[in-house]
Amino acid sequence: MTKLTHLFQPYEFGFLTLPNRIVMGSMHTGLGERADGDSRMATFYARRASAGLIITGGIAPNLEGRVNEGAATLETGEHAKHHAVVTRAVHDVGGRIVMQILHTGRYAYHKKCVGASALQAPINAYKPTPLSAADVERTIDDFVRCARLAREAGYDGVEIMGSEGYLINQFIAPRTNVREDDWGGSFEARIRFPLEIVRRTRAAVGADFLIVFRISLMDLVENGSTWDEVVALAKAVQSAGADVLNSGIGWHEARVPTIAAMVPHGAYAFITGRLKKEVTLPLIAVNRINLPEVGERILAAGEADFVSMARPLLADPELALKAKRGDLASINTCIGCNQACLDHIFENKEATCLVNPAACREEEWELPGGTHERLGATQGAKRTVRKVAVVGGGPAGLAAAATAADAGHQVTLFEAADKLGGQFLLAAAVPGKEDYKETVRYFSERISRAKADIRLGTTAGVDDLAHFDTVILATGVTPRVPPLEGLDGANVCFYDEILSGAKTAGARVAIVGAGGIGFDVAEFLTHPENETEESYFEKWGVDKTYAARGAVKAPSKEAWRSPRQVWLLQRKPGKPGETLGKTTGWIHKASLKNRGVEMLSGVGYEKVDAQGLHIQHKGEKLLLPADTIVVCAGQESVRDLLEPLKARGIDVCIVGGAHEAGELDAKRAIAQGVRAALDL
Ligand code: NAP
Ligand code: SF4
C-alpha cells in the first residue's frame, strides 16, 4: 500500500494550520449565480472540507472583471453576507476556505471587457477597452475592496488570480501589454499591477489572512514571460506580502492541452519544482494530479508543498478522508473527461461530474452512507429493503448496483461478459483514456464491499428475474450494422473488436462513422506504441528548457508520426468532430490532423470488397484502398428483456444505453443508474 506520509503532514502558517497538503483548486460550478446558490454552495464546499484548503471559483472584483454578464462580483457588504453562508458551513465542519479574486480582463465575454491594451483575445469576440492609468488605480482598489469584503465574509484568505491569461497575466506578458505608460514597457513596469495589488491587499487585510498568488509558470503562448521573469515576479510577489504561490499552466488561448485526460498525471509538477529551488514561499503544484499517489510522489520529490486537486474533489468529496486512512480503492477518481464540469460551464450550465452525478446537487441527490462518509455526516433515513436485480455491468448498471447496494437493498448484478465495465473497458483502451478503468474499479469495489451478489458470465433471462422486487435493465448497446454491401468480408470489423484487441487492423484503415467512437478508434489506430511522457511535451510544442518566451516551440513532426494511414468518414456535410466536447473536441481534432488522418464529410458509401471501401465524394466515385474497414456507425439499444418482463408484471426500469442509444453517453448513463437506485 502506498504510504501517504507527505500528503498528510500539517502545514503551519502561524495564524492558520492546514491539516494536510491537499488543496481543492478553484473551479467554476455555476452555483454562485443561482437563486438557491448560497445554500447549495455551502453544502458543496462543506462536503469537501476535509481537503487541507479549499479555493473557491473565481469571484470578480468589479463588473468589468466578470467572465460573463451573469457572473458574480463581490463589491458590497450585502454581497459579503451571501458568502458568509458558505464560509460558516465550511468552518462549522472544521474546514478552511479562501476566495479566488478573478478579473478576466480580455477574456470577459461581454461588452465591458477591458484589458491592459486594446488587443483582442483569439478566443473572444469582444475587443477589450484598454484601462486608462486612472482605471488601473481604480481596478487595484477594487481588488483590495474585494479582499477586505472576503475577510468580512469569513474567508481565511484570498487567492489573487495572476495566471491563465486573465487580466493580471495580461499586464505581465509583453504579448498583451504594449502600454507606454508606467504600467507597461519594461518588465518592472509590467509587473507593477500584480505587485501593487498584493502589496495594497496585504496592507488592507492585515497579517493574519492568507494571500495566495497564482503565478503563470508557463504561459504556453508566444511572447509570454521568460523563466527569469517568472522567478523575478515570484520573488517580488513574496516581498509584496503573498503567503503561498499557486502554479498556473498555460493561457486559455494556448493550443496545448493542459488538464484534459491525455495529459500525463502530474506532468507539470516539474516546473513548480524548478521554482521551488528559487523561492522560499510554499508552492502548490497543479494539473492532472488526480490520484493521491501522484500527489504524494510530487511532495516526496520536493517539487511542491501542496498539490491542487480540483476536479478530483468534484468527483469524490471524501477523497482526503479516504486517502488519509489509506483506502485508495474506495476513491471515485476523476477521469479528466471535462464532460460534466468544464463543458457544462462553457455551455452556461451548472457543473456536475460524469462519475459522480451528485456533485453540485448534494442537497437534491443525497447518496446513501457507507462509502459516502464525510465531516459532520448524519445517518440517512431507513429504507425498505428491496430485492433488486441489475442486468448489465457497464457504467449505468455499475452505478445503479453500487448505489442500491449502499442503500441497503439486496442487489444481484448480472453481467454476460466475464468482466465488469462494459463500454468503459473499451474506452480505457484508447490512449489518453486509461483512467476510465478507475471508474470500473471504483464502482466494482463499492458493489463488492456492500456484498452484492455479482454474477459474471451470466445472461439473465426472464425466469431468472421473476423473483426480484425490481429489475434495473442496464443491458447497454450493440454496434449499429449499417446497410452496406460487403460488411461480411474478412476485412471488416466493428469498433468493439478493435478496442478489445479481438481483431487487429492493417496498415491502411477506413473508419465508417466519425462520432466520439470513430475519433477514439482513429486515435487508437494512429498512436505509436512507444509513447512516453516526453512525447506529450514534444507533440504539443512545450519547451521544458524554456528557450523562448512562453516556453513554446514548434511541435515535433516525428512525435506525431502515425503507424497507419487512416481515413475517417461521415455522411453529413460539415466538419467531423462537431459533436465532441466543448473543451476537448479541439484536442481530438488537432491530434488526428497532426497524425495525418484524412477526414471526409458528405460521403456516400457504396460497398466493401477485397480492394477496400468504395465511396462517393464530391460527385466522384472513389476507392479507399483500406486493408481494414472499421465500423463506428453508432449503436442500438439492447432491450430484449423489457417487454417480456413487463408482460410478466415485473417492476422494471431501464437506464443507460439500453434506455436510449442515440447520443449514448456515459454522463447520462451513470446519472440514470444512480437516480434509478435512489428512487427505489
Ligand atoms: P455517434 O456520436 O452517434 O456517431 C455515430 C457516427 O456514425 C456518426 O458519425 C454518423 O455519421 C455515423 N452513422 C450513423 N448511422 C450510420 C449508418 N447507418 N451508416 C453509416 N454511418 C452511420 O456515436 P458513437 O461514435 O458511437 O458515440 C456514441 C456516444 O459515445 C457519443 O454520442 C458520445 O456521447 C460518446 N463518446 C464520446 C466521445 C468523446 O467525446 N470523445 C468518445 C467516445 C464516445 P453520419 O450519419 O453523418 O455518417
Ligand atoms: Fe473529472 Fe470528468 Fe468529473 Fe470533470 S466530469 S470532475 S473531468 S470525471
Side-chain angles (χ1 to χ4, degrees):
M1 196 178 79
T2 318
K3 279 216 151 88
L4 303 172
T5 45
H6 294 83
L7 212 48
F8 290 95
Q9 288 283 321
Y11 194 96
E12 186 57 65
F13 281 100
F15 57 92
L16 181 71
T17 305
L18 306 187
N20 62 59
R21 307 302 181 94
I22 298 173
V23 173
M24 180 180 181
S26 172
M27 64 182 304
H28 303 287
T29 58
L31 296 181
E33 290 77 29
R34 309 282 156 180
D36 57 355
D38 295 348
S39 155
R40 288 176 63 190
M41 235 176 350
T43 309
F44 172 78
Y45 284 125
R47 294 281 165 91
R48 289 155 175 88
S50 52
L53 182 69
I54 292 169
I55 303 177
T56 68
I59 303 290
N62 59 26
L63 290 176
E64 296 121 60
R66 292 169 304 166
V67 65
N68 57 42
E69 275 176 353
T73 62
L74 174 52
E75 298 176 276
T76 65
E78 205 45 49
H79 292 160
K81 284 185 191 153
H82 290 278
H83 287 263
V85 177
V86 176
T87 58
R88 250 196 319 271
V90 172
H91 290 152
D92 280 353
V93 291
R96 300 132 303 270
I97 183 164
V98 305
M99 191 196 83
Q100 187 189 73
I101 308 179
L102 167 67
H103 192 307
T104 53
R106 72 176 195 156
Y107 285 165
Y109 298 119
H110 54 74
K111 289 189 207 113
K112 285 197 162 122
C113 168
V114 296
S117 299
L119 296 170
Q120 192 172 347
I123 55 169
N124 197 354
Y126 295 96
K127 187 169 180 174
T129 305
L131 293 170
S132 67
D135 288 335
V136 174
E137 288 289 347
R138 176 181 52 79
T139 305
I140 295 171
D141 289 346
D142 292 344
F143 268 90
V144 174
R145 177 186 60 202
C146 190
R148 208 185 299 114
L149 288 168
R151 182 169 183 135
E152 200 177 302
Y155 285 105
D156 298 291
V158 287
E159 174 173 83
I160 295 169
M161 179 41 145
S163 65
E164 272 39 29
Y166 290 120
L167 183 69
I168 291 178
N169 213 173
Q170 291 159 25
F171 268 86
I172 296 166
R175 176 183 179 84
T176 37
N177 184 346
V178 293
R179 299 175 72 99
E180 292 177 352
D181 62 2
D182 293 347
W183 302 99
S186 67
F187 170 65
E188 288 70 23
R190 282 184 275 116
I191 64 167
R192 266 188 75 211
F193 184 60
L195 295 185
E196 284 304 309
I197 289 172
V198 175
R199 195 177 59 73
R200 295 187 208 177
T201 299
R202 175 55 77 206
V205 296
D208 58 345
F209 190 68
L210 204 67
I211 297 183
V212 184
F213 185 83
R214 189 144 186 213
I215 181 169
S216 183
L217 298 187
M218 298 180 115
D219 293 331
L220 301 181
V221 288
E222 279 88 20
N223 217 8
S225 295
T226 64
W227 178 243
D228 288 348
E229 287 175 349
V230 171
V231 174
L233 173 62
K235 289 179 177 169
V237 165
Q238 174 166 14
S239 305
D243 300 296
V244 188
L245 289 175
N246 193 2
S247 308
I249 308 290
W251 288 29
H252 287 318
E253 67 204 64
R255 300 318 277 169
V256 179
T258 52
I259 61 164
M262 68 289 293
V263 180
H265 292 164
Y268 284 96
F270 80 94
I271 195 72
T272 307
R274 206 174 289 172
L275 186 63
K276 186 120 184 73
K277 296 194 180 89
E278 306 278 356
V279 294
T280 52
L281 272 190
L283 300 181
I284 307 175
V286 296
N287 288 27
R288 285 284 285 149
I289 305 171
N290 66 336
L291 301 166
E293 310 87 291
V294 177
E296 176 68 17
R297 196 178 70 217
I298 291 166
L299 298 178
E303 292 179 316
D305 302 278
F306 298 95
V307 288
S308 175
M309 302 178 91
R311 293 172 301 165
L313 274 138
L314 191 65
D316 194 332
E318 294 92 29
L319 180 145
L321 287 174
K322 293 173 180 176
K324 188 168 184 200
R325 59 164 203 263
D327 188 9
L328 303 186
S330 70
I331 291 176
N332 192 3
T333 302
C334 164
I335 58 176
C337 65
N338 286 356
Q339 267 178 256
C341 50
L342 288 184
D343 284 353
H344 274 208
I345 291 301
F346 275 85
E347 291 159 10
N348 264 331
K349 296 199 288 208
E350 286 171 21
T352 178
C353 172
L354 183 140
V355 299
N356 173 21
C360 297
R361 302 164 176 160
E362 283 77 8
E363 293 182 346
E364 189 194 340
W365 291 54
E366 186 60 59
L367 295 177
T371 57
H372 288 269
E373 64 186 278
R374 58 181 185 272
L375 294 181
T378 51
Q379 205 53 39
K382 254 205 147 1
R383 293 161 195 261
T384 311
V385 174
R386 296 173 71 86
K387 279 176 72 176
V388 181
V390 178
V391 188
L398 286 174
T403 311
D406 274 348
H409 298 295
Q410 274 178 32
V411 176
T412 305
L413 172 59
F414 296 92
E415 167 56 53
D418 60 358
K419 274 191 208 148
L420 294 174
Q423 298 287 313
F424 262 34
L425 291 182
L426 298 178
V430 177
K433 286 195 165 180
E434 294 82 359
D435 281 345
Y436 280 59
K437 66 180 178 311
E438 290 282 321
T439 306
V440 180
R441 184 264 308 143
Y442 163 72
F443 282 116
S444 306
E445 183 71 23
R446 272 178 64 190
I447 294 166
S448 313
R449 288 188 191 191
K451 303 215 173 348
D453 180 5
I454 304 171
R455 305 213 188 146
L456 295 177
T458 309
T459 305
V462 178
D463 288 342
D464 302 311
L465 301 170
H467 64 285
F468 287 92
D469 298 326
T470 297
V471 175
I472 299 178
L473 266 193
T475 35
V477 292
T478 186
R480 178 182 290 128
V481 182
L484 176 58
E485 187 187 328
L487 278 195
D488 53 353
N491 54 351
V492 177
C493 57
F494 285 79
Y495 70 86
D496 52 339
E497 296 172 304
I498 288 288
L499 294 177
S500 66
K503 291 198 176 161
T504 308
R508 290 173 303 180
V509 185
I511 299 176
V512 174
I517 289 177
F519 268 76
D520 274 356
V521 168
E523 182 70 39
F524 179 86
L525 293 173
T526 56
H527 208 84
E529 268 178 16
N530 53 355
E531 278 220 330
T532 61
E533 184 172 319
E534 286 315 303
S535 317
Y536 156 78
F537 293 108
E538 290 304 310
K539 282 191 305 190
W540 294 101
V542 177
D543 180 10
K544 291 172 91 176
T545 70
Y546 234 118
R549 282 189 172 278
V552 277
K553 63 181 180 183
S556 153
K557 288 206 167 114
E558 181 53 27
W560 281 114
R561 201 173 39 82
S562 163
R564 290 188 176 86
Q565 181 184 1
V566 171
W567 295 272
L568 181 60
L569 314 168
Q570 69 176 25
R571 297 172 303 177
K572 287 185 278 296
K575 286 192 179 159
E578 275 168 356
T579 57
L580 299 176
K582 280 235 182 276
T583 61
T584 52
W586 70 270
I587 306 171
H588 298 299
K589 285 184 260 184
S591 182
L592 296 194
K593 189 168 166 239
N594 292 341
R595 294 216 189 271
V597 172
E598 202 175 327
M599 301 190 205
L600 301 179
S601 303
V603 163
Y605 301 111
E606 297 219 313
K607 65 172 180 182
V608 175
D609 62 19
Q611 292 178 294
L613 176 63
H614 297 260
I615 61 167
Q616 289 176 25
H617 187 238
K618 296 187 175 165
E620 279 183 49
K621 285 183 186 289
L622 291 179
L623 165 65
L624 304 180
D627 310 310
T628 311
I629 291 90
V630 185
V631 180
C632 305
Q635 291 96 6
E636 275 158 16
S637 299
V638 176
R639 53 199 311 177
D640 319 355
L641 285 170
L642 183 63
E643 292 311 320
L645 286 170
K646 278 187 181 166
R648 291 271 288 267
I650 298 167
D651 182 38
V652 57
C653 86
I654 184 158
V655 295
H659 176 261
E660 195 183 330
E663 291 300 306
L664 160 79
D665 78 56
K667 182 176 69 179
R668 181 163 51 78
I670 291 177
Q672 281 185 341
V674 172
R675 196 65 253 174
L678 288 179
D679 291 344
L680 282 170

